[in-house]
């Protein structure tokens, strides 16, 4: 990794840890494939995806 990217990444991870707690940089991230390939946007699929995003973010999710 080029030094400029490494510096930016390290600064970003420190900021995340300071803002959201030290475990934040170790959480799962939404890479390609995070949304299932067969996602068509049905209500059920959308609710599952919102729950998954909430779990990754450490947020309580309430579906109304």
């Amino acid at each position: 990794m080029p030094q400029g990217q490494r510096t930016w990444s390290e600064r970003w991870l420190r900021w995340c840890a300071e803002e959201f707690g030290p475990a934040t940089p170790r959480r799962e991230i939404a890479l390609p494939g995070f949304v299932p390939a067969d996602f068509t946007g049905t209500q059920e699929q959308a609710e599952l995806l919102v729950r998954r995003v909430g779990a990754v973010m450490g947020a309580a999710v309430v579906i109304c």
Side-chain angles (χ1 to χ4, degrees), residues 35-50:
V35 177
D38 63 346
F39 185 83
T40 60
T42 66
Q43 182 75 29
E44 182 180 355
Q45 289 176 326
E47 289 178 8
L48 288 171
L49 183 58
V50 168

Side-chain angles (χ1 to χ4, degrees), residues 8-32:
W8 182 90
S9 297
E10 290 172 354
R11 193 171 11 158
W12 173 250
L13 291 173
R14 273 195 303 277
W15 180 85
C16 286
E18 290 169 6
E19 289 292 315
F20 306 110
T24 300
R26 294 176 182 83
R27 290 183 183 154
E28 180 183 5
I29 58 173
L31 296 172

